[in-house]
Amino acid sequence: MEKIYLDHAATSPMHPDVIQTMSDVMTETFGNPSSIHSFGRVAHEKLETAREVIAKSLAVKPHEIIFNSGGTEGDNTAIMETALARQAGGKHLITTKIEHPAVLKTMRYLETLGFEVTFLDVDEQGHLRLDQFDAALRDDTILVSIMYGNNETGNLMPIKEIGERLADHPAYFHTDAVQAYGNQTIRPQELGIDLLSISAHKINGPKGVGFLYKRDGVDLPPLLHGGEQEEKRRAGTENLAGICGLAKAVQLLTPTERAKRAADYQTFTATILTALKENEIEFSVNGDLEQKLPHVLNLRFNGIINDLLLMKLDLKGVAVSTGSACTAGTVDPSHVLEALYGKSSPAIKESLRISFGLGNTQAQIERFSETLVTVIKELKKN
């Protein structure tokens, strides 16, 4: 039985070309990029070439890219160091209730240090109301952190509109773009973004590597102290193989490839929804189908407990999710769905996240749709 992986929002398989690139680097370029001898110079050249590739993908300067261990470190650096470095100008921060835990828990920690955080609500479709943002923005607001696209519903946030509102405001604007980078065209300078976090393993790169975009002019102390790597902005010997793997993954996601994947994912979504409707399965979509990341689909099946549904699908060789991988394995309900519907809504226990990516085919989606319908009918019968 061929297994079907539909949890790419949690992590994605590494592209074979990425694996080959990393293998070559580990075999041939073991020097420390900070060393001044020939081995170090070769490693340093590869490091800077990767930086140029990634900077080009965002249309920013290579100097503005800081390599790190991934999205969590990027989020923590952007939020913690902005708060601590700028608190003389104010101690107010703004975020939303549907952020990744790397943002939410960092914000909660800052509250214990005396900072005030406004957690903005979203409506039942997962949209952030800009009038609520306007009401929350204050003279003493020093940071706004709002994700580019939600990891559970796929909803796209109004990043451009928020950037415009902050154009003449001293607050820094950070976005966790971990789910969006690779399928959206992101231009931080055009959008007014000051800080942006990315993880390689969401775009068919390796785990444990990513980067933080930091606009020139944004003055932040490093989160990690030690050596003088990354121009003294992030201590620790760079993970050269991982960084080169990240750069290769970025190169593979050409505009043509992104457009093809987006079209495929739209077809996959239509296939699943059509199968459910034709078989008269009672369901609803969590989030907004018209304003979301193409690879994420979150569905509610009325009366079906999602943990049981996930287990039944897993036994049939299908991998999906009930929410963020960072909260999987716990009994905590989805904080994203709680924000949409309220903590007492049955939708929280009846929802499933399906996410597409490299290796998925139309034949797989058709078999998944048939399996999903069969399992739901069995559960309804029982």
Side-chain angles (χ1 to χ4, degrees), residues 32-42 44:
N32 189 319
S34 297
S35 298
I36 61 174
H37 49 59
S38 62
F39 293 89
R41 292 197 303 272
V42 170
H44 183 76

Side-chain angles (χ1 to χ4, degrees), residues 13-217:
M14 286 175 63
H15 192 288
D17 290 354
V18 171
I19 296 172
Q20 185 60 56
T21 294
M22 292 179 65
S23 178
D24 291 344
V25 171
M26 286 187 284
T27 302
E28 302 166 4
T29 314
F30 61 84
N32 189 319
S34 297
S35 298
I36 61 174
H37 49 59
S38 62
F39 293 89
R41 292 197 303 272
V42 170
H44 183 76
E45 182 180 357
K46 288 187 180 296
L47 180 71
E48 295 312 312
T49 298
R51 201 186 309 276
E52 290 172 4
V53 167
I54 290 162
K56 185 178 179 181
S57 74
L58 294 171
V60 300
K61 303 170 189 173
H63 168 82
E64 296 175 310
I65 301 299
I66 305 170
F67 291 118
N68 59 24
S69 66
T72 294
E73 184 183 333
D75 289 346
N76 274 255
T77 302
I79 297 167
M80 286 289 298
E81 298 312 303
T82 294
L84 296 176
R86 308 192 75 213
Q87 58 185 314
K91 302 188 77 169
H92 180 239
L93 317 173
I94 297 175
T95 189
T96 75
K97 293 181 179 179
I98 62 169
E99 299 296 313
H100 188 275
V103 171
L104 291 177
K105 291 186 177 181
T106 304
M107 292 288 189
R108 294 294 187 195
Y109 174 68
L110 286 170
E111 286 184 313
T112 70
L113 301 183
F115 290 86
E116 181 184 354
V117 183
T118 297
F119 296 90
L120 296 172
D121 290 309
V122 293
D123 64 21
E124 285 202 354
Q125 278 199 301
H127 295 307
L128 173 65
R129 285 179 47 187
L130 288 168
D131 61 335
Q132 291 186 351
F133 174 82
D134 293 339
L137 188 63
R138 304 182 338 204
D139 290 342
D140 63 338
T141 304
I142 56 172
L143 175 70
V144 174
S145 181
I146 293 176
M147 63 185 1
Y148 203 103
N150 186 260
N151 53 305
E152 292 193 30
T153 65
N155 270 52
L156 288 165
M157 297 290 104
I159 299 300
K160 182 175 184 292
E161 292 81 359
I162 293 169
E164 290 171 349
R165 283 161 164 77
L166 294 174
D168 297 317
H169 193 283
Y172 286 166
F173 184 22
H174 166 253
T175 185
D176 177 332
V178 167
Q179 288 294 339
Y181 182 70
N183 60 63
Q184 302 291 301
T185 299
I186 303 174
R187 297 290 180 261
Q189 292 181 347
E190 296 176 8
L191 297 170
I193 296 169
D194 299 302
L195 298 153
L196 177 144
S197 310
I198 296 300
S199 264
H201 75 105
K202 305 293 188 178
I203 59 166
N204 311 118
K207 296 175 180 64
V209 64
F211 68 86
L212 174 68
Y213 158 76
K214 181 177 77 70
R215 177 182 59 78
D216 271 348

Side-chain angles (χ1 to χ4, degrees), residues 340-362:
L340 266 66
Y341 305 122
K343 292 186 177 182
S344 61
S345 172
I348 297 166
K349 294 286 189 180
E350 299 174 348
S351 297
L352 207 65
R353 183 185 69 181
I354 304 157
S355 50
F356 315 116
L358 180 69
N360 290 144
T361 65
Q362 179 63 18

